[in-house]
Amino acid sequence: MARRSSEVTMGDIARMANVSESTVSRALSGSTLVAEKTRDRILEIARNADFAINEQARNLALRQTRTIEVIFPIERGTLQQVSDPFFVDMLAVLTDELGKHGYDVLMSRSPPWDEERPGCAFLGARADGVIFVGQGRHRSAIRDFARRHASVVAWGAVSADDDYCVIGSDNVGGGRLATEHMLKLGRKRIAFLGDTDLPEMRQRFEGYKQVLASYDIPLDEDLVIHTPFDIEKAREVTKPFVELFPRYDGIFACSDMIAMAAIANLRQAGIAVPDDVSVVGFDDIPSSAHVSPPITTVHQRIRHGGKVMVEKLIGILGGEAQEPEILKTELIIRQSCGARVATPS
Amino acid sequence: MARRSSEVTMGDIARMANVSESTVSRALSGSTLVAEKTRDRILEIARNADFAINEQARNLALRQTRTIEVIFPIERGTLQQVSDPFFVDMLAVLTDELGKHGYDVLMSRSPPWDEERPGCAFLGARADGVIFVGQGRHRSAIRDFARRHASVVAWGAVSADDDYCVIGSDNVGGGRLATEHMLKLGRKRIAFLGDTDLPEMRQRFEGYKQVLASYDIPLDEDLVIHTPFDIEKAREVTKPFVELFPRYDGIFACSDMIAMAAIANLRQAGIAVPDDVSVVGFDDIPSSAHVSPPITTVHQRIRHGGKVMVEKLIGILGGEAQEPEILKTELIIRQSCGARVATPS
DNA sequence: CGTCATTTTGCAAGCGCTTGCATTCACCCC
DNA sequence: GGGGTGAATGCAAGCGCTTGCAAAATGACG
């Protein structure tokens, strides 16, 4: 890396070893076409010379990139949003899984199409495929992109009309699990905290509404609070909401972070969780089990999801069409909604 | 991306536009050497043909990669460790900052030297420089790597004998701040929770010891608990530790996650925070302000740190040597150590 | 010692792009 | 209309690597 100008090339090694470049190439790539003795000698020389193969040239010759671009389409500035542990987990899994298949991971925070690369107005093809971790508000752009550039999978809200491969949790089901759980515990007036502009949140909201309907509970618009992801902002937004108590006795928060923010405000206002109000979150982030009270939450199978995305992408690269997939979610019952459960383990 | 086989090249565009490849190249790169009319025509054609420049070829010709490898040297399997929001924050900043300078980010979870790329025994030079986010247990390997491959900066414990550019928080100072704060509140017997095998934790421990010494408090080895990062494991490890109460009346936890785990166990055992025991964490993760009780913690300037790393690396790439830098830390006082402070804003 | 089958090696073309230099073109002026 | 000028274009080499194919070396064998 670096020091590129003075980098030693295969030609140099060839000269040192008194063989042709091709032989060096073959020796380094472990071809059987080169005598063992020669190979060892070349390897030795290469090692001593600190030779590092130029992967760009290699990939160019091989017509591959062995790189997958992973895009986290997150508005800049809203750093906090990223802090959601979801992203790290996902990134870690993707990196591992892609690594197993021999792919490198190129990170991006913005989608390729709004990239203003100086001096080049064109979308650079720098990867064999693209994974969108979240579709945010640009579904149609992704769709367009997928149509033009084929190998794409995305994480997010799966819907019937996707024309590219989307993998995502069963958000509707998760919303149902959360809401129904509280109703079964005897809660009557469940509030919803989340940003329904985002497709996944909308699905969770959908599950929430479905359950209310099936219990013949009318939707109370005042209990639907548009709450951003960022925990600081969520804290602010839910502050006035707390005042509405006792119009609600249960809260379905679209993420554990939001749940935490709400709980903090409730406690501060002297409202007890879970005694006065039950709270259910979403995500099952690592700390959710260890805060007070431990948060009941909907678990998303992120690791699994990451693996599935990679598998599908590899499939697509191999030329096979791939179906979208919806991953089951699971309710993790903890104290915050009134369960008599002791703290875990 | 993908569909590489059928990808349209500059040659194709040239043929379509009835000009030479060079003209296409110049047109796309916005050179003034091509007539405006021609340029527009070529751009139009390229757009319609869904042309995407092959960056590998481009970079090869330009003898650059415009890529920085960002390495999170994290043991595989211990995914949870990654969940530390620190990593996402850092990654986000690095991606943004490098992006501003026109660099892409290549993610890695393992250092280049233990990479077993099939068919190639050699360290591939695939980036102009490398950023290590954390040095973990392989300082000497990094040092070696830096010596051979020049452009390297690392985040971590800064020590006098570094021979490559290390940026990191003032961990010793942070440890002092945390410990001294509790002593000043009247606590006498402060426990230390953390993994002193890790250089940064060792430095925090160092600060802790310094303060104890300056207060003439002997170090009680039983109150130094080797606690891993992972919150689940931390929970287990600190469980027996809780029993030692009331041998301690304060806890300095090496990370907020550990602090959370400890607090959870304390409360479960009926020990009150901060009334019976003060707790100070480290990191100032987003949720630390919103849990109960809000955690007093040492803030690391991660965003700033990321920026500094990028600046230094750019400097190094430009041929200038760069000094290591230690970033000030700051104590954020919240309720968990007994401060009379209300919850924040 | 010559033959022939097997290794080993080297040659050269090619991956898709950039760029210095030569060439062509259009236009202007005397 | 010829010569000169500057702008626009094309040619060809080269970036560092791979690989099909031909050439050379090796060794077995009659």
Side-chain angles (χ1 to χ4, degrees), chain B residues 128-141:
Chain B
D128 293 337
V130 180
I131 296 181
F132 289 88
V133 182
Q135 309 175 85
R137 308 175 204 259
H138 11 229
R139 294 176 79 88
S140 73

Side-chain angles (χ1 to χ4, degrees), chain B residues 10 21-22 25 58 62:
Chain B
M10 278 199 182
E21 223 174 297
S22 355
S25 169
R58 175 166 203 265
L62 293 173

Side-chain angles (χ1 to χ4, degrees), chain A residues 1-4 7 52, chain B residues 65-73 91 94 98 103-113 115 123-135 138 141-156 164-167 306 308-318 322:
Chain A
M1 331 236 158
R3 224 174 35 189
R4 302 208 66 70
E7 206 82 71
Chain B
T65 69
R66 295 263 95 185
T67 295
I68 299 294
E69 184 162 359
V70 174
I71 298 175
F72 292 78
L91 185 59
L94 292 178
L98 287 169
Y103 284 97
D104 284 329
V105 172
L106 198 59
M107 269 282 301
S108 270
R109 289 199 50 197
S110 58
W113 51 82
E115 206 135 31
L123 167 61
R126 50 188 185 178
D128 293 337
V130 180
I131 296 181
F132 289 88
V133 182
Q135 309 175 85
H138 11 229
I142 297 181
R143 170 168 327 172
D144 198 54
F145 179 80
R147 194 177 48 65
R148 303 152 82 108
H149 302 277
S151 305
V152 167
V153 307
W155 174 268
Y164 53 100
C165 183
V166 181
I167 314 296
V308 171
M309 284 206 285
V310 172
E311 277 165 23
K312 301 257 178 193
L313 185 57
I314 302 288
I316 291 174
L317 288 173
Q322 298 286 327

Side-chain angles (χ1 to χ4, degrees), chain B residues 175-193 205 208-209 211-212 215 217-225 241 246-253 277-280 337:
Chain B
R176 273 200 301 256
L177 285 176
T179 313
E180 183 144 36
H181 181 66
M182 288 186 276
L183 290 176
K184 279 192 178 149
L185 286 174
R187 300 305 187 177
K188 303 284 190 221
R189 300 172 308 280
I190 316 282
F192 177 91
L193 265 44
F205 184 53
Y208 161 85
K209 284 193 295 187
V211 172
L212 290 193
Y215 276 68
I217 301 176
L219 180 67
D220 181 347
E221 297 282 0
D222 293 346
L223 296 184
V224 177
I225 312 291
F241 158 75
R247 275 197 48 193
Y248 54 85
D249 54 10
I251 295 175
F252 171 33
V277 175
S278 292
V279 177
V280 177
C337 65

Side-chain angles (χ1 to χ4, degrees), chain B residues 215-246:
Chain B
Y215 276 68
D216 283 327
I217 301 176
L219 180 67
D220 181 347
E221 297 282 0
D222 293 346
L223 296 184
V224 177
I225 312 291
H226 189 281
T227 315
F229 253 112
D230 178 274
I231 193 166
E232 302 287 348
K233 298 209 187 91
R235 187 80 190 259
E236 285 166 34
V237 168
T238 51
K239 186 151 266 178
F241 158 75
V242 165
E243 319 264 309
L244 262 51
F245 183 81

Side-chain angles (χ1 to χ4, degrees), chain B residues 283-299:
Chain B
D283 281 347
D284 192 25
I285 66 176
S287 54
S288 60
H290 306 282
V291 292
S292 165
I295 299 175
T296 296
T297 186
V298 179
H299 178 82

Side-chain angles (χ1 to χ4, degrees), chain A residues 9-10 21-22 25 54 58 62:
Chain A
T9 75
M10 278 200 183
E21 222 174 301
S22 356
S25 169
N54 180 326
R58 176 166 202 267
L62 292 175

